[in-house]
Amino acid sequence: MGGRERSDSPSPILTATGIRKRFGRKLVLDNVNLEVRPGEVVAVVGENGAGKSTLLRILAGFLAADAGEVDSRGRVGYCPQEPGLIGLLNAREHLRYFGAARDLPPGDALAQGHELLQALGFPVGDPTLVQNLSSGNRQKLNLVLALLGEPEILLLDEPYQGFDQGTYVNFWNHVETWRDQGKAIVVVTHLLVERQRADRLVELRIPCPSVVGGEPPFGAS
Amino acid sequence: MSSARRIVIIAGMQGRDLVRRYVAIALMVVLPLAFYFALLPSHYALLVGGIGLAWSVSAVGLFVVLASRETDPRLVLAGYRPWELLAGRWLLLEGVAAILIGAFALLFLAISRPTATGELVLGVSLSGIVAVPLGLAIGSLLPRELEGTLAIIALVGIELTLPTDSSVAPFLPLYGSQQFLAVAAGLHGVTPPPAPVSVSYALAYTAALTLLATLLWTMRVRVKRSLHRPPSVRP
């Protein structure tokens, strides 16, 4: 797939080639190609059922493609649409649990996690169990767990669901910061206004003849 | 961070999740107690209570697996190895089983006062030990609450209703512990197998179920690499 090719652009850190996925008789993805480079934000758009979440699950390795190849050359942080959290643990325990997976000592996991949570407006230190948190705060924790350990690739599946207006705007400012830090970011989104914050747009269509991508950004610098 | 440290952290977090399930913990203790007290003063209560303990422990194992099925792929993607997650849960469940084994063995000894005390302790211990990988294997094979629960009810239920000298009994995972419990309860109509044979059965089932759970678990939660080359880019 094309895209904004610049002579000085780094080589792709995440490449998907010829991805095909079928659920039963329903073809969801067919010959989808995607390249993401460090320091790039790619927005994945499309109607409901176009396979956006399925594509991200395949990129993350949660789902195997029926055909095609995914080549990722960095650590992946994945924020699913539905927070995959443990209801009877609190935020602090989640940070320790996920931090250990990233080889972070508990103190470092908490320090890093609290900084990220605070930036998103999460009440740091709140011992409330996840099952009793508001959906917005659950989603903030969900996002922070994907960011823990500084992964080079971020796969974000509508990560702002439940965010209030301020946090939502704040989220996109953070996306720009993460891009400037050199992270490769793939964001599934619906809203037109968000597309302007991306470097490239990838549109998936039903019945998914193939991906249409590499559109220049709508006003992105 | 070493695998051992990560396994302890996993066990600790799963333990916190488990201890906050107050009703489940109460039922885990009440179920074997109910089996046992319902059949007192018959010594058959020892057999049913011991197998009931396995029922509780395997059900907890099943739900420990199922409760985190949405989170596990994320934890693996974040860096845990699938076997570390399983080992953490195994460690927690063996700890829970050890507490229950100790408590129930003492209770059975105090109330039923069986003459074959060694057989009773062995029977209860093996029940708890085999039940851990049994619950983990069923949870890995049938990752839905209803199907998993029915499988445990079926397996342990058959174990409870079968005569201990039935030709089918050796094919069930709790056969070894069932033999010891039957001796402790004085139920054997025929000569029971020698103790080393029953212990071997229990350990073999434990090993086989652990292996099965590890294989199924790893297949389910591993990161799935899509590496099929599409026709257009095949060399």
Side-chain angles (χ1 to χ4, degrees):
Chain A
M1 195 194 72
R4 281 196 306 170
E5 299 294 341
R6 298 192 301 264
S7 58
D8 60 342
S9 63
S11 56
I13 192 168
L14 176 68
T15 309
T17 314
I19 298 296
R20 187 190 308 133
K21 185 65 185 177
R22 185 183 285 279
F23 290 115
R25 299 175 71 178
K26 186 183 176 190
L27 184 63
V28 178
L29 298 169
D30 187 24
N31 194 30
V32 173
N33 302 287
L34 176 75
E35 277 184 3
V36 192
R37 296 165 196 281
E40 186 177 38
V41 179
V42 174
V44 178
V45 298
E47 303 167 57
N48 290 335
K52 303 183 294 297
S53 294
T54 301
L55 176 61
L56 249 66
R57 287 172 64 80
I58 289 170
L59 295 177
F62 279 30
L63 203 58
D66 296 332
E69 187 174 290
V70 175
D71 182 16
S72 61
R73 297 174 181 203
R75 288 172 308 156
V76 176
Y78 173 52
C79 176
Q81 197 173 13
E82 295 295 325
L85 305 173
I86 302 166
L88 291 171
L89 297 186
N90 60 32
R92 185 185 168 87
E93 289 161 346
H94 274 87
L95 293 175
R96 285 191 59 200
Y97 201 0
F98 278 75
R102 292 283 193 202
D103 277 337
L104 292 173
D108 293 358
L110 291 175
Q112 199 182 112
H114 284 164
E115 189 183 334
L116 291 163
L117 284 170
Q118 202 156 28
L120 290 170
F122 185 95
V124 170
D126 183 356
T128 305
L129 298 179
V130 161
Q131 67 179 14
N132 299 327
L133 287 175
S134 69
S135 61
N137 279 340
R138 265 204 298 271
Q139 195 60 26
K140 287 172 191 172
L141 178 61
N142 187 30
L143 177 60
V144 165
L145 294 179
L147 290 159
L148 212 55
E150 302 280 345
E152 293 84 10
I153 301 166
L154 284 176
L155 305 174
L156 312 176
D157 192 352
E158 298 193 57
Y160 40 75
Q161 292 201 359
F163 283 7
D164 55 41
Q165 183 64 24
T167 312
Y168 173 77
V169 172
N170 195 13
F171 162 74
W172 281 100
N173 293 335
H174 283 299
V175 168
E176 288 179 0
T177 306
W178 300 329
R179 172 180 53 197
D180 294 343
Q181 290 169 350
K183 295 188 192 304
I185 305 166
V186 182
V187 192
V188 169
T189 184
H190 276 299
L191 304 175
L192 268 173
V193 64
E194 294 162 356
R195 302 178 186 190
Q196 298 173 2
R197 312 289 290 262
D199 297 309
R200 280 192 301 124
L201 191 68
V202 171
E203 185 175 358
L204 299 178
R205 292 177 182 154
I206 301 171
C208 198
S210 73
V211 75
V212 177
E215 294 293 325
F218 297 98
S221 57
Chain B
M1 192 179 288
S2 69
S3 281
R5 179 92 192 275
R6 286 146 69 105
I7 288 167
V8 170
I9 289 174
I10 294 162
M13 292 301 163
Q14 287 291 150
R16 288 168 193 238
D17 177 72
L18 183 62
V19 296
R20 288 169 186 160
R21 297 172 190 270
Y22 311 118
V23 177
I25 288 180
L27 287 172
M28 180 174 79
V29 176
V30 165
L31 186 126
L33 279 181
F35 278 24
Y36 175 68
F37 282 110
L39 288 165
L40 277 179
S42 162
H43 271 192
Y44 188 63
L46 288 174
L47 176 64
V48 175
I51 301 292
L53 171 75
W55 204 330
S56 274
V57 172
S58 56
V60 173
L62 169 73
F63 281 96
V64 160
V65 172
L66 297 186
S68 48
R69 67 176 181 270
E70 300 292 331
T71 321
D72 286 335
R74 284 192 81 179
L75 290 168
V76 171
L77 183 68
Y80 285 119
R81 297 173 188 94
W83 72 264
E84 288 175 340
L85 284 173
L86 193 68
R89 278 146 205 184
W90 181 87
L91 184 64
L92 169 74
L93 291 167
E94 289 293 356
V96 170
I99 293 168
L100 291 176
I101 287 167
F104 278 90
L106 286 173
L107 181 83
F108 295 164
L109 287 171
I111 294 178
S112 292
R113 299 186 180 279
T115 48
T117 52
E119 279 80 359
L120 176 76
V121 172
L122 263 175
V124 173
S125 302
L126 293 176
S127 256
I129 288 168
V130 178
V132 171
L134 177 63
L136 292 175
I138 290 175
S140 305
L141 179 66
L142 301 168
R144 298 277 185 280
E145 284 86 354
L146 180 61
E147 290 89 331
T149 307
L150 288 174
I152 288 181
I153 289 173
L155 265 177
V156 184
I158 291 170
E159 200 97 50
L160 277 174
T161 51
L162 267 185
T164 51
D165 56 353
S166 158
S167 59
V168 179
F171 297 100
L172 293 169
L174 297 172
Y175 173 74
S177 57
Q178 187 194 31
Q179 296 305 308
F180 285 118
L181 290 167
V183 172
L187 294 178
H188 259 293
V190 294
T191 312
V197 172
S198 297
V199 171
S200 301
Y201 263 102
L203 295 181
Y205 273 114
T206 302
L209 288 166
T210 302
L211 182 65
L212 181 68
T214 307
L215 291 174
L216 293 169
W217 171 263
T218 305
M219 281 169 61
R220 195 154 69 75
V221 303
R222 73 191 159 85
V223 174
K224 290 146 187 92
R225 303 282 177 208
S226 296
L227 292 170
H228 321 280
R229 289 199 178 277
S232 58
V233 295
R234 238 172 227 140

